[in-house]
Amino acid sequence: MSDFHDDLALLPGRGAQTWIGGAWRAAHSGRTFAVHRPATGAHLADVADCTPHDVDEAVTAAQQAWPAWRARTAAQRAQALHDWHAAIVAHTEPLARLMTHESGKVIAESRGEVAYGAAFVAWFAEEARRAYGDTIPAPSADRRIVVIRQPVGVSAAITPWNFPLAMVTRKVAPALAAGCTVVLKPAAETPLTALALAVLAERAGVPAGVLNVVPSSDAAGIGEALCADVRVRKLSFTGSTAVGKRLMAQCAPNLTRLSLELGGNAPFLVFDDADLDPAVDGAIASKFRNTGQTCVCVNRIYVQAAVHDAFVERLAARVAALRSGDGLDERAQVGPLIHARALEKVQTLVADAVSQGASVVTGGEARGGLFYAPTVLRDATPAMRLAKEEVFGPVAPVFRFHTEAEAVAMANATEYGLAAYLYSRDIGRCWRVAEALESGMVGINDVRLGTEVAPFGGVKHSGFGREGSRHGMEAYEELKYLNFGGI
Ligand code: ADP
């Protein structure tokens, strides 16, 4: 029996059941896998462990539910999404606690994620009613040309642990709005939030089979089964670049449509004409959010020589004051890392940087369990591993630059291209640099990129496709062109 009985009360079987075809039941294998709290290592729940057999049933359920769901009017689909949104918002506190238990993020951030994740549901409920087509002037007088949007069909979603709620709604809401049905495979670290979302979708009247959830400890097996099934017409994945490439190869035989939101290596440029205090605020907000474990977290901070030392001093003073702790403690600002592998990676990258000449200004050490001290490094160089790899932890390396051209070249010297940030009060420089940065998103004097109203996504090895905004529906729609003759 888990010690967290009350916080699991929303979940059928306390997480041990899967949601397929409108029924809560055990996985076919009869097996479960354990979910732990990163903050303490405590056992949290045993979750249904799905296999390709369950995936097959989930795809069948989604396929069967599709005709009736797509036949609903846009307003009817929108209503179901509005009801789901209301149910999510009404359960902000239980959802936030579940998320903090299983992902380790601090409770204030979990509450923020409920609002952020719910906003996608409301947004796509609205967008459902605006799936407009086109009329196109025809090349001859006896023809009329019309373009309509139709749902692609059964869609698969594979989501990561760092946003257990928002990455689910960012995929499922536009799919449902467009008239698609979904099979969702949440991360093994954080399946409980996804199952809770299914409970609330059921209560909101989302019909049986429209959303199916198949948690599993065998991510590769489930991924293969989803890609190999010709009935699955679309796969949307958020996670690492390595897995994204593998899924793309697996999707090739069926030409399954893909959206990939993959790793990042976000640069943060501070020019000597920047307001330093807002730049420090931005660096901290973006670097330490979710303990540095988001794909848009600042990974490399480049500061122009004239303001370098002042920036490092102010940043380090603020970072040293950040309070780490169990996310359920309202005073905690930084939580644990997700698992031992993540902690090891942070330690390895810091050791590599120090061995190549970086100095630790604050932090630079593990603090027991899965906690790592919020850290600032100075004298970072492009040869260090943390210049090339996503740290995914609470470590801020600072590099020095002299000219704008040098800053842009260093920022772009990465295979990734998701988010980039720059601070400057020179409007011409802001435009020049923002246009020159090779990334899908640029924060200019502001690091708040995540919002349902704007298109989120990357270039280069950070993937392709956009989520959120009016473009977020496009991933789940086909354009069909109708040519009427004999007019
Ligand atoms: P992270 O490093 O953030 O855990 P992953 O890419 O490993 O990134 O995980 C993101 C999601 O992809 C999770 O749901 C995970 O279970 C899933 N996943 C991991 N490996 C595979 C795979 N080979 N095929 C399909 N999904 C996978």
Side-chain angles (χ1 to χ4, degrees), residues 10 19 39 60 86 94 96 98 122 134 156 219 256 276 278-279 282 292 300 318 344 351 354 414 470 479 485:
L10 196 57
W19 175 238
T60 300
L98 263 187
D134 301 312
T256 309
L276 277 199
R300 300 167 288 151
R318 293 272 306 280
E344 269 163 42
V354 169
T414 168
R470 68 188 165 85
L479 292 182

Side-chain angles (χ1 to χ4, degrees), residues 158-162 185-189 216 218-224 237-244 246-247 250 339 341 392:
I158 298 181
T159 54
W161 48 262
N162 60 347
K185 206 293 285 172
E189 293 84 354
S216 178
D218 176 19
I222 302 297
E224 278 167 25
F237 170 75
T238 298
S240 61
T241 296
V243 173
R246 180 170 168 172
L247 290 171
Q250 288 175 188
H339 43 43
R341 250 182 310 122
F392 239 58

Side-chain angles (χ1 to χ4, degrees), residues 260-322:
L260 295 176
E261 203 262 274
L262 308 176
N265 181 1
F268 184 99
L269 311 182
V270 183
F271 290 93
D272 58 14
D273 54 26
D275 287 341
L276 277 199
D277 285 328
V280 169
D281 290 344
I284 289 178
S286 174
K287 175 70 253 183
F288 295 97
R289 183 159 188 231
N290 201 11
T291 314
Q293 301 173 110
T294 89
C295 49
V296 294
C297 275
V298 170
N299 203 54
R300 300 167 288 151
I301 300 177
Y302 296 101
V303 187
Q304 202 157 12
V307 293
H308 175 277
D309 291 352
F311 180 89
V312 170
E313 194 179 311
R314 291 188 209 183
L315 179 70
R318 293 272 306 280
V319 171
L322 290 175

